[in-house]
Amino acid sequence: MKERNKLKIITAENYMHLSELVAQIIIKKVHEKPNAVIGLATGSTPIGMYQQLIKDYLKNGTSYEHIKTVNLDEYVGLSENHPQSYRYYMDYQLFKHINIKNENIFIPNGKNSLEACESYEKNIQHIGGVDLQILGIGHNGHIGFNEPNTPFSSRTHIVELADSTRQANARFFEGIEEVPKHAITMGIETILQSKQIILLASGISKSDAVNRLFSKEINENFPASALHHHSDVTVVVDKEAANYSPLSYE
Ligand code: GLP
């Protein structure tokens, strides 16, 4: 049986504070290792963190010239310039505001092919692996787009999105029928190979998932619980999401 590690937790006062704390962790990494590989996430939660990175870039000139980024996931079937594609999101939320080089940006290409998955996986190894991976969490515990019952041993693969995930993400589209049914995502094993992982959760709607993450459960039915198999995970929550029971975790 694999070892169970203790997750570190930082409770921020509010969403702004959470965003500042996580941005500071990234900025510190960029200063320590100017050619670091940073794993990035999409969704609503990291938007404030990206805003803080941009603010710091403009004020302090932190340089991303030699930084490489790899994104967790992408919808299948959306072109790069579709406003809901994660490529578009990343350009808009971060990349066009900082001095990262286009050739150092890696995002799955949204094609439904085994080849695309394999080459994404190989490239992560090729660029030296992820130094610091940022994660969000879905209400059902998904990380990246690894839905419940994804094997913990999974590598980059194509997934069929859970109805609950499509419903949760429908707010960004004209309606649920517009939300793609498939996505390409780094696998759970791919994520666990990152040297350091930071998971963010904000708001009351995430408190059940956070509570479950800090329970004794390690089960493929709750993908984020795989993080207990990693030795350097910090969960950064705001007070609303932090409605967890420390006793259940001791
Ligand atoms: C999305 C993304 C995940 C993200 C999660 C939570 O479906 N694929 O990478 O972490 O769901 O998103 P949000 O931060 O909007 O709640």
Side-chain angles (χ1 to χ4, degrees):
M1 213 173 86
K2 282 195 182 168
E3 199 184 338
R4 181 193 172 99
N5 297 287
K6 198 159 179 147
L7 308 177
K8 287 164 266 193
I9 184 154
I10 298 176
T11 307
E13 279 303 310
N14 51 37
Y15 177 66
M16 174 65 117
H17 186 212
L18 172 148
S19 304
E20 286 166 1
L21 288 174
V22 184
Q24 281 309 320
I25 295 172
I26 297 177
I27 292 163
K28 186 162 171 268
K29 175 61 71 185
V30 171
H31 285 302
E32 275 168 16
K33 189 174 178 185
N35 63 348
V37 178
I38 313 277
L40 296 175
T42 52
S44 314
T45 315
I47 290 177
M49 172 193 89
Y50 292 136
Q51 287 169 354
Q52 292 300 318
L53 292 180
I54 295 165
K55 202 169 140 192
D56 163 78
Y57 173 75
L58 295 174
K59 190 167 166 226
N60 304 317
T62 300
S63 179
Y64 296 82
E65 197 186 348
H66 302 294
I67 292 292
K68 293 190 174 78
T69 61
V70 292
N71 263 74
L72 282 168
D73 47 16
E74 178 60 288
Y75 289 113
V76 163
L78 299 189
S79 69
E80 279 190 5
N81 43 23
H82 187 291
Q84 297 312 330
S85 75
Y86 286 163
R87 172 71 214 210
Y88 187 96
Y89 167 108
M90 288 306 307
D91 285 344
Y92 180 79
Q93 298 293 350
L94 181 67
F95 295 149
K96 69 176 188 178
H97 306 284
I98 60 171
N99 67 335
I100 191 161
K101 290 182 175 157
N102 196 41
E103 68 260 31
N104 288 340
I105 294 171
F106 302 97
I107 302 185
N109 70 9
K111 290 206 178 91
N112 188 350
S113 85
L114 193 60
E115 212 185 329
C117 297
E118 282 173 359
S119 76
Y120 199 68
E121 189 74 29
K122 269 196 200 132
N123 183 56
I124 294 173
Q125 313 306 327
H126 177 71
I127 61 177
V130 175
D131 291 295
L132 173 63
Q133 176 67 54
I134 304 298
L135 293 178
I137 184 168
H139 298 113
N140 61 4
H142 75 231
I143 48 175
F145 265 135
N146 293 287
E147 298 287 19
N149 301 318
T150 304
F152 285 174
S153 58
S154 55
R155 302 291 183 145
T156 302
H157 62 295
I158 303 289
V159 291
E160 186 175 347
L161 297 175
D163 284 346
S164 60
T165 300
R166 293 185 63 240
Q167 269 156 20
N169 290 357
R171 67 190 195 276
F172 301 114
F173 291 81
E174 301 271 311
I176 182 127
E177 58 292 340
E178 301 285 318
V179 184
K181 294 199 165 77
H182 294 88
I184 174 169
T185 182
M186 279 189 203
I188 294 180
E189 182 64 32
T190 321
I191 293 170
L192 291 183
Q193 282 186 341
S194 313
K195 295 176 189 84
Q196 182 187 356
I197 297 175
I198 309 285
L199 181 142
L200 328 182
S202 166
I204 195 84
S205 74
K206 294 291 171 71
S207 63
D208 283 350
V210 171
N211 197 28
R212 210 169 154 190
L213 178 59
F214 281 91
S215 75
K216 290 198 185 311
E217 174 186 17
I218 300 185
N219 191 320
E220 288 180 352
N221 187 30
F222 189 68
S225 65
L227 297 173
H228 290 285
H229 292 318
H230 193 283
S231 61
D232 192 358
V233 178
T234 306
V235 178
V236 187
V237 292
D238 58 16
K239 280 187 168 165
E240 289 190 326
N243 184 21
Y244 69 100
S245 152
L247 282 181
S248 65
Y249 183 50
E250 291 307 318

